[in-house]
């Protein structure tokens, strides 16, 4: 589990968006942290995203090259996606409120883009686990393609991550049970 410590940035990215939104709407925080410059806040988010993206891509590549356990990759992916749910809800509510006036409409679009960026971060980890599961014959090609695509679809990614984790876990248990029967 220690090798997944690098994914802390992936876990925290949507919460940094929420923190930036709080800073924007609270004058004191905006002045103290971003010096009343919204572009400073966006730069902060982009730098944070770049660091999280490096960690996510590194996990994807290393997971495939070093042949990490697919069940572990899918489990951490599922946990990350479940941890992101409260941040998504807050961002969604703020985005809806921003849709009420023409002056804040652009904020809703930016929030939608930031949500998509977050889905991409966790989707890479899920895709790595799915590819590893397919290569170990724990998922069929059809299921691997379907779940691989769903890892990048809003809301469906959470459901898919839970389903694919359960499938791989059951496939592993079935394989272990067959091995025990052959030994007896």
């Amino acid at each position: 589990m220690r090798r997944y410590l690098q994914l802390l940035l992936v876990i925290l990215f949507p919460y940094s968006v929420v923190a930036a939104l709080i800073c924007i709407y609270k004058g004191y925080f905006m002045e103290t942290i971003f010096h009343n410059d919204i572009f400073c806040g966006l730069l902060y988010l982009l730098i944070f995203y770049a660091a999280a993206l490096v960690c996510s891509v590194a996990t994807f590549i290393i997971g495939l090259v070093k042949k990490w356990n697919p069940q572990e990759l899918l489990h951490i992916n599922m946990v990350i996606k479940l941890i992101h749910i409260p941040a998504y809800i807050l961002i969604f509510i703020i985005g809806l409120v921003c849709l009420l006036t023409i002056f804040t409409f652009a904020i809703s679009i930016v929030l939608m883009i930031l949500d998509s960026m977050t889905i991409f971060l966790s989707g890479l980890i899920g895709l790595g686990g799915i590819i590893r599961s397919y290569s170990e014959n724990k998922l069929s090609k059809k299921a691997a393609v379907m779940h691989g695509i769903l890892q990048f679809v809003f809301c469906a990614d959470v459901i898919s991550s839970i389903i694919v984790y359960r499938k791989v876990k059951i496939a592993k248990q079935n394989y272990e049970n067959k091995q025990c029967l052959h030994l007896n």
Side-chain angles (χ1 to χ4, degrees):
M1 212 47 140
R2 199 149 124 221
R3 62 180 159 198
Y4 298 117
L5 191 59
Q6 67 195 27
L7 296 176
L8 189 60
L9 293 176
V10 175
I11 293 170
L12 294 178
F13 178 72
Y15 290 98
S16 70
V17 173
V18 172
L21 288 170
I22 291 170
C23 288
I24 290 170
Y25 288 108
K26 295 289 184 177
Y28 174 76
F29 291 125
M30 184 65 179
E31 183 179 320
T32 306
I33 297 172
F34 299 127
H35 309 293
N36 284 331
D37 187 4
I38 190 71
F39 295 111
C40 184
L42 286 174
L43 180 64
Y44 154 77
L45 287 175
L46 289 176
I47 291 170
F48 198 105
Y49 180 77
L53 183 62
V54 166
C55 293
S56 185
V57 169
T59 301
F60 174 77
I61 292 170
I62 294 169
L64 293 178
V65 171
K66 291 192 175 185
K67 298 184 179 183
W68 283 353
N69 182 351
Q71 188 176 346
E72 281 183 30
L73 278 169
L74 293 170
H75 183 258
I76 195 70
N77 177 55
M78 180 182 66
V79 169
I80 288 172
K81 288 184 183 288
L82 292 173
I83 289 172
H84 284 173
I85 289 174
Y88 284 140
I89 291 170
L90 288 171
I91 292 170
F92 180 75
I93 290 170
I94 293 170
L96 280 179
V97 170
C98 289
L99 280 175
L100 295 177
T101 69
I102 190 83
F103 303 110
T104 56
F105 187 76
I107 294 173
S108 295
I109 294 170
V110 169
L111 292 177
M112 215 168 37
I113 292 168
L114 290 170
D115 274 347
S116 299
M117 291 166 56
T118 303
I119 292 169
F120 183 74
L121 290 175
S122 58
L124 278 177
I125 300 161
L127 185 61
I130 289 169
I131 292 170
R132 288 287 306 127
S133 298
Y134 174 71
S135 67
E136 291 185 6
N137 295 323
K138 293 180 181 174
L139 282 177
S140 68
K141 186 175 186 176
K142 180 181 175 184
V145 169
M146 181 184 68
H147 286 291
I149 292 169
L150 289 177
Q151 291 301 306
F152 300 98
V153 177
F154 188 66
C155 291
D157 63 332
V158 177
I159 297 166
S160 172
S161 68
I162 294 169
I163 291 170
V164 76
Y165 171 71
R166 291 289 302 153
K167 279 185 178 182
V168 170
K169 187 176 180 179
I170 290 170
K172 181 180 177 186
Q173 289 172 346
N174 289 341
Y175 177 77
E176 289 172 354
N177 288 340
K178 286 180 183 177
Q179 291 298 325
C180 288
L181 291 175
H182 289 297
L183 292 175
N184 291 332

